[in-house]
Amino acid sequence: MEAKTMSKTWFITGTSKGFGREWAEAALERGDRVAAAARDLSGLRSLTERFGDAVLPLRLDVTDRDAVFAAVRQAAGHFGTLDVVANNAGYGHFGMVEELTEAEIRAEMETNFFGTLWVTQAVLPVLRAQGHGRIIQVTSEGGVRAFPGIGGYHASKWAVEGLSESLRQEVAPFGIDVICLEPGPYSTDFGGASVRASAEHPDYAGVRAAGAIEWDLGDPKATRGPILELADTDDPPARIFFGKSFEPVAAEYEERLATWRKWQPVALAAFG
């Protein structure tokens, strides 16, 4: 696959750990420049020590729209260009739909969906003006399928997927690519400090037990080469899984197609 190999400037959110940290290091190690955004800059100290002026640490809470726009202006002004934007900041929330409080679901959407939207809106004027750019929206396998007990997280990621489908068509004439990156389960901090949970309702104990899954976790370091390929390729995909998600997701989509086909007579009857 032919790829663009010139040095690039990245804007990556959630760089203090997990995917964001791996991708920032991968880009910097090959000579790219990175605007590394994180809520806590202490985790970025080693990057600045190793890579110096090639990394611009930015303290950023993506739920603060004004702060997002200011950070993007700072990054673009500092480096002069933004080539690859990775909307990676986010967290998981465990809880049955009935268990979600208003504060919990609003917080989940504020970070995972609105945070992605604010960064996207902030970078678009820069990318349009320069006539090129690539936005990598980190959704999830959970942005195209769903499991019990994480409905709030799924809602946020499905929302990003829908937003990005429209966005891709809107910005293609300006030379901007949009990729929905849909990782499966990985041994990141998603199951650790980056996860939150609702108070459990006892009536759902059986559902919780029946829905328990033993995840086969991927190695985040293994995503370094693939993320660079996504940044460089001349033929970027509209969406791509990272990990072993294809087979189970394909089976679910075959089931959806079968259901739609079965009920097509009813659908057509409803047309009039």
Side-chain angles (χ1 to χ4, degrees):
M1 183 181 297
E2 187 179 355
K4 308 165 186 173
T5 55
M6 66 183 68
S7 177
K8 292 179 171 61
T9 301
W10 298 61
F11 186 98
I12 308 175
T13 62
T15 54
S16 61
K17 52 194 172 183
F19 289 136
R21 180 54 176 262
E22 297 293 342
W23 301 345
E25 288 191 6
L28 290 164
E29 285 173 355
R30 73 167 189 176
D32 288 356
R33 304 179 299 177
V34 176
R39 292 172 65 102
D40 181 5
L41 293 187
S42 63
L44 301 180
R45 191 171 298 117
S46 63
L47 286 184
T48 58
E49 292 172 352
R50 288 173 61 194
F51 300 104
D53 293 341
V55 58
L56 174 66
L58 296 166
R59 188 185 308 278
L60 180 63
D61 177 350
V62 296
T63 67
D64 184 337
R65 189 175 188 272
D66 290 341
V68 168
F69 275 72
V72 168
R73 284 194 299 270
Q74 182 180 350
H78 182 80
F79 288 127
T81 183
L82 296 177
D83 303 304
V84 183
V85 178
N87 263 314
N88 169 68
Y91 70 92
H93 187 103
F94 286 82
M96 302 294 171
V97 170
E98 187 178 351
E99 295 168 344
L100 296 171
T101 67
E102 180 179 354
E104 288 168 345
I105 188 59
R106 287 188 182 278
E108 181 81 320
M109 296 300 291
E110 284 288 347
T111 297
N112 294 6
F113 174 70
F114 285 106
T116 296
L117 174 57
W118 304 151
V119 173
T120 299
Q121 289 183 330
V123 301
L124 283 176
V126 177
L127 305 188
R128 278 192 295 104
Q130 66 192 20
H132 75 272
R134 185 157 298 174
I135 301 175
I136 301 176
Q137 310 283 49
V138 184
T139 67
S140 169
E141 172 187 336
V144 293
R145 68 187 302 211
F147 300 94
I150 44 178
Y153 174 76
H154 288 309
S156 70
K157 293 301 188 178
W158 282 57
V160 172
E161 288 269 344
L163 183 83
S164 301
E165 286 293 308
S166 292
L167 175 68
R168 184 180 302 110
Q169 299 169 68
E170 294 166 358
V171 300
F174 304 109
I176 303 170
D177 307 308
V178 179
I179 301 171
C180 281
L181 171 54
E182 301 152 347
Y186 276 80
S187 55
T188 62
D189 200 46
F190 178 87
S194 292
V195 73
R196 304 176 191 179
S198 299
E200 296 183 2
H201 192 296
D203 285 359
Y204 286 97
V207 178
R208 214 176 313 274
I213 298 173
E214 194 69 33
W215 300 106
D216 182 12
L217 301 178
D219 179 2
K221 290 186 181 299
T223 67
R224 288 184 171 206
I227 197 68
L228 295 180
E229 184 171 355
L230 282 186
D232 295 342
T233 180
D234 289 327
D235 184 27
R239 60 195 63 81
I240 181 175
F241 294 122
F242 270 12
K244 300 179 178 180
S245 302
F246 175 75
E247 294 298 338
V249 172
E252 285 199 15
Y253 274 69
E254 288 294 342
E255 183 178 344
R256 294 184 190 187
L257 288 169
T259 299
W260 281 321
R261 289 190 184 101
K262 176 181 178 180
W263 287 89
Q264 181 67 349
V266 176
L268 294 175
F271 183 74

